């Protein structure tokens, strides 16, 4: 898909329908959608609008894997040192939120870019 608001809505909707249809807890579905949105937004920020992206959501025994592939091998997500509960901050909460929902998320370089992989474990909200 190319990065656009319409395609993000479609990816979120497909994620919701697929995971709910598989019996995944609605809170975990919400978390998967949130992580997908954060990865998607970061890719657009780094690569620009309409960049080609590949989004994957996979249900396994361990939980839900959310993966997003973008074509930029040089730039990676970086933390801004923001606390999730800081009422004064208007942005920068995305990576701390990913750390909370999918601790240990990882970046893998690929021949045509990079893939960010997040595991949202069963039992986490």
């Amino acid at each position: 898909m190319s990065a656009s608001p319409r395609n993000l809505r479609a990816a979120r909707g497909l994620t919701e329908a697929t995971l709910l249809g598989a019996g995944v807890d609605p809170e975990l579905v919400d978390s998967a959608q949130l992580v997908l949105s954060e990865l998607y937004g970061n890719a657009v920020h780094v690569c620009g609008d309409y960049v080609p992206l590949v989004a994957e959501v996979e249900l396994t025994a361990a939980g839900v894997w959310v993966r997003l592939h973008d074509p930029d091998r040089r730039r990676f997500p970086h933390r801004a040192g923001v606390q999730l509960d800081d009422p004064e901050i208007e942005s920068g909460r995305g990576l701390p939120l990913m750390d909370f929902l999918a601790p240990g998320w990882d970046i893998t370089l690929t021949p045509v870019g990079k893939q960010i992989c997040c595991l949202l474990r069963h039992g986490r909200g």
Side-chain angles (χ1 to χ4, degrees):
M1 76 179 125
S2 63
S4 71
R6 179 175 165 224
N7 287 343
L8 174 57
R9 280 190 301 276
R12 286 178 54 90
L14 185 56
T15 296
E16 178 182 38
T18 301
L19 293 177
L20 287 176
V24 174
D25 181 87
E27 286 186 33
L28 187 56
V29 173
D30 290 344
S31 295
Q33 289 180 298
L34 189 58
V35 168
L36 176 65
S37 295
E38 179 60 29
L39 294 176
Y40 195 101
N42 285 346
V44 170
H45 179 74
V46 168
C47 302
D49 292 332
Y50 303 104
V51 65
L53 302 174
V54 176
E56 296 177 55
V57 178
E58 177 186 12
L59 177 60
T60 67
V64 175
W65 281 98
V66 177
R67 300 179 187 96
L68 191 85
H69 190 275
D70 73 59
D72 192 330
R73 290 176 55 97
R74 297 171 293 137
R75 292 186 283 181
F76 302 96
H78 66 279
R79 289 166 180 78
V82 171
Q83 298 298 315
L84 282 175
D85 60 352
D86 187 337
E88 302 296 317
I89 300 302
E90 295 183 12
S91 65
R93 288 187 179 95
L95 294 181
L97 185 61
M98 285 177 38
D99 289 337
F100 176 74
L101 295 173
W105 57 272
D106 193 23
I107 302 168
T108 302
L109 292 178
T110 69
V112 294
K114 69 178 173 289
Q115 183 179 66
I116 301 177
C117 305
C118 304
L119 175 61
L120 291 87
R121 296 195 180 275
H122 295 289
R124 284 205 74 111

